[in-house]
Amino acid sequence: MTMSTAQPTTTLQEPGPLARAAHVVGLVLSTPLGAIGCLLVAIIILTAIFAPWIAPYSPTAINVKERLADPSVSHLLGTDQLGRDLLSRVIYGAQPTLLIVVLVAVLSAPLGLAIGIS
């Protein structure tokens, strides 16, 4: 019996990081809950980016005449104690919220790795 020492004609290469990311995104988007989650995250990110153009009022403008107004056509979520539009404040609030989320994600990975290694 002789052993064959023939080399394979094709070589399999490890997929690059971009290919792996595309595969993971494909897996996530193939499930309904994954697609809905990605859609919600995309909406929040776009809302934070385009807040100055989306918000109907300034989030810091005080209008004492309209304080504690109920939700209406002009103020979809109503107003607070100083008459500030709540919808505008929620839209602008997406910016610091996303910043905190990114900072927590970036800082927790190395910290968790350091704790897990030790």
Side-chain angles (χ1 to χ4, degrees):
M1 258 206 237
T2 60
M3 298 292 279
S4 173
T5 59
Q7 296 293 327
T9 56
T10 60
T11 58
L12 295 175
Q13 296 179 355
E14 284 288 320
L18 191 59
R20 284 189 296 240
H23 178 69
V24 169
V25 169
L27 286 175
V28 170
L29 293 178
S30 66
T31 63
L33 288 178
I36 291 170
C38 287
L39 179 66
L40 289 174
V41 169
I43 288 171
I44 292 170
I45 291 171
L46 290 174
T47 300
I49 291 171
F50 296 110
W53 297 282
I54 295 173
Y57 300 99
S58 169
T60 58
I62 296 174
N63 186 357
V64 182
K65 292 179 183 177
E66 294 187 8
R67 61 186 292 266
L68 298 174
D70 292 331
S72 64
V73 175
S74 61
H75 299 284
L76 293 178
L77 296 180
T79 60
D80 65 2
Q81 295 87 349
L82 298 174
R84 298 174 296 196
D85 184 59
L86 290 178
L87 177 62
S88 297
R89 293 180 64 79
V90 168
I91 290 172
Y92 273 92
Q95 294 171 340
T97 300
L98 286 178
L99 176 65
I100 291 170
V101 166
V102 169
L103 286 175
V104 166
V106 167
L107 294 176
S108 66
L111 185 63
L113 181 64
I115 291 171
I117 288 175
S118 60

